[in-house]
Amino acid sequence: MTNNLEEKRKQLVHYLKDIQSIETKEVEKAFLKIKRELFLPKEMADMAYADEALPIGFDQTISQPTTIAIMLEMLKVKEGMKAGEIGAGCGYASSLLSQLVGDTGKVISVEVIKELAEKGKKNIEKHEIKNVEIIQGEGVKTLQEKAPFDRILISAACPFIPKELFDSLNEGGKIVAPVGDRNSQTMQCMTKIKGKPVKEEYLKTYFVFVPLGGKHGFDKFYWNPGKNKWIKSQDDRIW
C-alpha cells in the first residue's frame, strides 16, 4: 500500500506540472514530501491522490490538489518567511506551507472548529513538523493577534479580502484568497506595495470554497465556543 501511494503521489505531481498548476521546484518538492493520505480517514487513503476535494467532517473539505497548488504558486512563499493561514482544516495546506518557509520560517494556522483544529495538530505531528502552530479561534481576529506576516493564505470563500489582514502584512507581503459570492470565486492575490494594495487575479478557472464565517464572511454569524457551533447574530455587533 505504501509504495502504491508513493507512486500515486508522484503521478499526481507529474499531472499538476503538466497542467501548469505546479510551476516551481519548491512547490513540487512540498507536494512530493507531504503525504496527503495522513490527513484523511484511513478508509479514504486510496483516494488521497485523486485531484479532487474530499470530505473531512463538519461540512468541511480538504481542498483539491490543483487548487492548493495554484494558491501556493500565487503566494510565492520564500524560505524564512512567517506565513499565516485561515482555515487550517485537517492541516494539509499548513504542512505544504511548512516546507516552503523551511526550518527558519514559521506557519501559524487558525481553525474555528475545535475538533478539526485538534485533528490538524495530530496530523502535523504525524509528519514531525516543528514549524507549524495550529490555533483554534476565529480566523481574522486570531490571526491579527499574531501579526505581522509575510504571507497569508485564506482557505475559505470571502466576499472581500479583509482590510485587517492586509494591515497585518509586512511591506511586500501577499494575501491569496478565493473571492466572490457563495457559489463561485476567483483566486485573488493582494500585494502590499508602499502600503497600498496591488491586486492580481487568476482567471483560468473558477473555484468553490466553503464560506468564511464571522463578520468578514457572507452572513452575520459568530462562533460560540461553548455551543461549538455558528450562532446567528441579532444585530451588527458581531465581535
Side-chain angles (χ1 to χ4, degrees):
M1 173 66 83
T2 300
N3 290 337
N4 185 41
L5 289 174
E6 287 177 0
E7 184 58 33
K8 286 183 176 181
R9 192 180 316 124
K10 291 176 183 177
Q11 290 172 356
L12 173 64
V13 171
H14 183 75
Y15 167 73
L16 295 176
K17 289 173 66 179
D18 273 355
I19 63 172
Q20 298 181 319
S21 293
I22 289 180
E23 298 178 338
T24 61
K25 284 290 184 184
E26 291 79 8
V27 173
E28 178 184 353
K29 288 178 181 177
F31 271 87
L32 286 171
K33 175 76 172 178
I34 299 301
K35 300 175 180 178
R36 194 173 186 239
E37 66 269 22
L38 296 185
F39 296 86
L40 294 167
K42 289 182 179 179
E43 62 272 16
M44 296 179 67
D46 61 340
M47 299 175 63
Y49 297 105
D51 188 29
E52 57 185 82
L54 297 170
I56 56 174
F58 306 95
D59 296 322
Q60 306 296 302
T61 60
I62 182 172
S63 294
Q64 183 180 6
T66 296
T67 300
I68 300 175
I70 290 168
M71 296 176 82
L72 294 180
E73 291 289 3
M74 291 183 75
L75 205 57
K76 293 180 171 60
V77 182
K78 304 296 183 185
E79 191 170 344
M81 284 184 168
K82 180 182 175 186
E85 181 192 19
I86 290 178
C90 60
Y92 180 58
S94 308
S95 298
L96 293 168
L97 279 169
S98 79
Q99 301 302 301
L100 297 175
V101 302
D103 293 339
T104 58
K106 175 75 175 178
V107 178
I108 297 175
S109 189
V110 181
E111 173 54 54
V112 71
I113 299 172
K114 182 179 179 181
E115 290 85 352
L116 277 183
E118 291 302 318
K119 281 186 179 181
K121 290 176 185 178
K122 289 177 182 177
N123 290 336
I124 292 295
E125 290 172 4
K126 290 177 189 176
H127 275 89
E128 299 182 346
I129 292 171
K130 307 297 183 184
N131 62 347
V132 173
E133 179 183 2
I134 294 180
I135 303 171
Q136 193 267 322
E138 188 272 320
V140 175
K141 181 174 180 289
T142 304
L143 208 60
Q144 259 189 293
E145 294 168 357
K146 301 292 183 176
F149 291 92
D150 301 301
R151 299 288 188 267
I152 295 176
L153 184 70
I154 304 179
S155 298
C158 312
F160 52 86
I161 291 178
K163 183 178 184 298
E164 292 91 330
L165 288 184
F166 181 78
D167 292 341
S168 298
L169 290 174
N170 288 318
E171 175 64 21
K174 295 177 182 289
I175 295 176
V176 169
V179 179
D181 57 34
R182 284 182 171 276
N183 302 311
S184 178
Q185 304 96 42
T186 60
M187 202 61 69
Q188 293 186 9
C189 177
M190 203 77 80
T191 305
K192 193 172 192 176
I193 304 295
K194 296 182 180 179
K196 302 294 184 182
V198 176
K199 187 175 82 171
E200 301 170 62
E201 202 165 11
Y202 185 92
L203 296 173
K204 293 181 181 179
T205 187
Y206 290 92
F207 302 86
V208 180
F209 275 72
V210 294
L212 181 71
K215 72 175 184 179
H216 300 95
F218 294 96
D219 291 316
K220 291 181 171 61
F221 283 79
Y222 70 95
W223 182 257
N224 185 309
K227 295 186 177 181
N228 201 33
K229 65 178 181 178
W230 291 103
I231 304 294
K232 188 171 178 60
S233 174
Q234 299 304 310
D235 57 36
D236 290 334
R237 293 168 293 166
I238 308 300
W239 307 108

